[in-house]
Amino acid sequence: MRISTFWYCLKQGVNNICRNILFSLASIATVSACIFLFCLFFSIVINVQYVIKNTESTVGITVFFDDGLDANKIKEIGNKIKARDDVKEVTFTSAEDAWAEAKQEYFGDMQDLAEGFEEDNPLANSASYTIFLNDLVDQDQVVDWLKGIEGVRKVNYSKTAAEGMNSLNKVIGVLSMLIIGVLLAVAIFLISNTISVAAAFRKNENQIMKLIGATNYMIRAPFVVEGIIIGLVGACIPLISIYFLYRSAVGYVVTKFSILSGLFQFLPVEAIFPYMAATALTLGVGIGFFVSFFTIRKHLKV
Amino acid sequence: MIELWNVSKTYEAGNKALRNVSMTIEDGEFVFIIGRSGSGKSTLLKMLLKEVEPTSGKIVVNDMNLSKMPRGFIPKYRRKLGMVFQDFRLLKDRNVYENVAFAQRVIGASTRSIRESVPAMLKMVGLSSKYKFFPQQLSGGEQQRVAIARALINRPEILLADEPTGNLDGHNSMEIMKLLNEVNKLGTTVIVVTHSQEIVDRMKKRVIVMDRGTIISDEKKGGYTYEN
């Protein structure tokens, strides 16, 4: 393609937008609204996932052993656990550590009260492994496996936490797919409408082009350019807004509701923006390109 | 050379536009096609432009069988033809220069080639001084000249004109015909569909008369023998 032809198609695409400025603006506004909501949702989903991941790292499985189990055997079990792919981290708490922790918890500054137990550790059989998983979804499977190991007396785990987070994950996934689906449908409908109006407006010109010997590609190119520009502008506006809005909102919540900072930690805008921008631009340009391409194909049987 | 072999066309509604039409038009000929409305003249032009397919028969243009032409080749074929319409079909939002350049631009011609050929073509049709004018600022005759310049800018081998003087007065009509005659003298085959008796009688060119989809008369240096 010649550079002059490329510029011609670009210019005609811009002309199409200017000629039907109201329709084009309506399309851009709707695409913007769709992508704005998408970005908003994207931010929420990413942050919720981040919170879930953080919480997941604090929910562990604790494994206790049979009374008097040999230290070597305990170590062997520990190695088996560490060898699993779904296990992220394993920490060992010996009976002495457990007792020291318990003393600190129960007696606080009055450690003298525990002196009577000095020679006889009441938690002698409380050595344990605390296991953190890569994904809580695997918890049931790992617990079943642990229970089957010879020498394991008891396995403690929080079923509610795992199930709750998994359900929350699923709900967010389904909800986001639904909303994105509806928004996509609206955007597709509006861009298709705008391109149809532009095609009707340029009917005479397209007929002349056809008779002069312009290729299908050359006739369709300005409409595809128009679709891409609508998608691109429609994606850039919400991205810029979300960038500043997100920064302000996170800053506001962190300063005004500092109590929440213990419960939730927000991702900084710099961490999510590159992914959000790439997704939103691909979405905007992709919708613009495909919708205009197929709409104009329907209108121009050359 | 244009050859039609037993060409028939029946539209979906059952209307028979052409019935077994056969004819030959040599390179560089000037031909008038006349006949009343619905006689098949426009269908014939549309078939030559490959806008309409014949129901039966064969059309060969410059050794190319149109029925066997692949779809992808149609744009290239059309570049060998120029088309002029009764209603000019100019782009109202572009000036004279841009209207003519448009025909080159959309087939991917370079800016350099456009800058060279458009002024030369405007000079040929006598509109060099009005290159910045918009169609609505021109007379009917001038608008048709722009349309002819646009049809000729890609140097077609055949020029098809569908009632090119239909919207013009007598004087402008003759001016347009003189221009088409000059184009013909440069070697372009010119086929004109018209209802104008005066033009046909004065030009003394080949005249094909059509009626109800058939050729009823074909005369070299003929006149307007058809009763409207």
Side-chain angles (χ1 to χ4, degrees), chain A residues 33-202:
Chain A
C34 294
I35 292 183
F36 181 83
L37 287 176
F38 168 78
C39 290
L40 202 64
F41 219 79
F42 186 92
S43 314
I44 294 168
V45 168
I46 289 283
N47 273 293
V48 169
Q49 297 278 8
Y50 181 64
V51 169
I52 288 173
K53 279 284 165 199
N54 278 344
T55 316
E56 274 180 353
S57 65
T58 64
V59 177
I61 304 167
T62 315
V63 184
F64 296 96
F65 308 100
D66 290 342
D67 292 355
L69 191 72
D70 179 40
N72 286 334
K73 184 70 183 165
I74 291 174
K75 200 173 176 185
E76 194 186 309
I77 293 172
N79 290 337
K80 265 191 197 175
I81 296 169
K82 282 176 196 164
R84 283 184 70 100
D85 291 338
D86 42 14
V87 171
K88 188 168 82 178
E89 193 187 335
V90 179
T91 55
F92 178 67
T93 308
S94 65
E96 291 72 30
D97 294 339
W99 174 231
E101 205 177 299
K103 272 200 296 187
Q104 185 61 40
E105 196 175 323
Y106 290 108
F107 303 110
D109 295 335
M110 296 174 283
Q111 296 283 319
D112 317 348
L113 296 172
E115 268 177 18
F117 298 104
E118 208 56 54
E119 298 301 318
D120 184 20
N121 182 351
L123 300 177
N125 290 310
S126 296
S128 64
Y129 281 117
T130 306
I131 303 159
F132 299 98
L133 301 176
N134 289 319
D135 195 331
L136 274 183
V137 174
D138 303 321
Q139 184 172 265
D140 283 346
Q141 193 193 334
V142 174
V143 166
D144 286 345
W145 177 76
L146 289 167
K147 282 177 178 170
I149 297 175
E150 199 183 329
V152 169
R153 173 169 50 92
K154 191 179 172 190
V155 179
N156 279 354
Y157 64 101
S158 172
K159 200 168 182 181
T160 329
E163 281 177 354
M165 281 174 197
N166 286 331
S167 325
L168 185 63
N169 250 341
K170 277 181 193 162
V171 168
I172 288 170
V174 170
L175 203 63
S176 59
M177 290 305 287
L178 267 174
I179 291 180
I180 289 164
V182 171
L183 296 181
L184 268 177
V186 174
I188 287 169
F189 173 76
L190 271 156
I191 296 179
S192 175
N193 243 10
T194 308
I195 298 294
S196 299
V197 170
F201 200 85
R202 286 176 61 131

Side-chain angles (χ1 to χ4, degrees), chain B:
Chain B
M1 189 162 74
I2 300 167
E3 294 164 281
L4 274 77
W5 305 85
N6 299 316
V7 174
S8 296
K9 175 67 188 177
T10 306
Y11 285 107
E12 280 174 18
N15 173 29
K16 289 190 174 178
L18 290 181
R19 300 164 198 251
N20 284 321
V21 171
S22 296
M23 68 160 114
T24 302
I25 297 172
E26 299 290 340
D27 288 344
E29 259 197 287
F30 192 121
V31 182
F32 283 113
I33 300 177
I34 61 171
R36 67 162 66 120
S37 298
S39 60
K41 310 181 298 289
S42 296
T43 299
L44 189 65
L45 289 192
K46 282 179 183 173
M47 280 183 177
L48 291 176
L49 275 168
K50 204 150 166 60
E51 265 198 294
V52 169
E53 295 295 323
T55 311
S56 64
K58 188 167 85 170
I59 303 173
V60 179
V61 179
N62 292 344
D63 299 325
M64 286 179 286
N65 185 343
L66 299 196
S67 310
K68 290 181 179 173
M69 185 177 284
R71 273 184 79 82
F73 194 77
I74 296 173
K76 277 191 178 172
Y77 162 72
R78 286 180 179 153
R79 290 174 200 177
K80 295 179 190 295
L81 310 176
M83 185 75 199
V84 178
F85 306 91
Q86 180 179 355
D87 55 359
F88 323 130
R89 295 201 193 172
L90 299 177
L91 304 174
K92 291 182 176 124
D93 59 338
R94 287 171 223 193
N95 64 28
V96 168
Y97 182 95
E98 287 163 342
N99 261 286
V100 179
F102 170 76
Q104 284 213 296
R105 189 75 75 189
V106 299
I107 63 161
S110 67
T111 307
R112 192 177 175 182
S113 146
I114 293 170
R115 279 185 192 146
E116 283 170 7
S117 52
V118 174
M121 189 52 68
L122 288 177
K123 192 178 174 188
M124 183 185 154
V125 298
L127 285 172
S128 290
S129 58
K130 295 192 172 178
Y131 75 100
K132 277 187 178 173
F133 283 46
F134 283 86
Q136 51 274 30
Q137 296 172 297
L138 302 173
S139 69
E142 287 169 331
Q143 287 189 54
Q144 195 58 293
R145 282 170 184 274
V146 179
I148 291 170
R150 184 182 65 191
L152 295 174
I153 192 77
N154 292 326
R155 301 179 189 284
E157 293 162 13
I158 300 162
L159 182 69
L160 306 173
D162 192 0
E163 309 221 22
T165 59
N167 285 352
L168 305 178
D169 58 30
H171 172 72
N172 275 315
S173 296
M174 280 321 296
E175 289 299 312
I176 290 298
M177 293 319 295
K178 273 183 200 166
L179 182 58
L180 292 181
N181 200 26
E182 280 170 33
V183 170
N184 176 242
K185 279 179 185 163
L186 293 171
T188 308
T189 306
V190 178
I191 301 171
V192 180
V193 166
T194 186
H195 279 118
S196 169
Q197 181 175 357
E198 188 192 353
I199 285 171
V200 175
D201 288 342
R202 284 178 69 169
M203 295 287 287
K204 295 284 175 206
K205 299 287 184 185
R206 180 179 170 189
V207 180
I208 295 171
V209 184
M210 294 188 72
D211 185 34
R212 289 175 210 164
T214 57
I215 294 175
I216 56 168
S217 150
D218 185 350
E219 284 183 48
K220 298 272 178 194
K221 297 195 176 182
Y224 199 94
T225 54
Y226 184 76
E227 282 298 318
N228 237 332

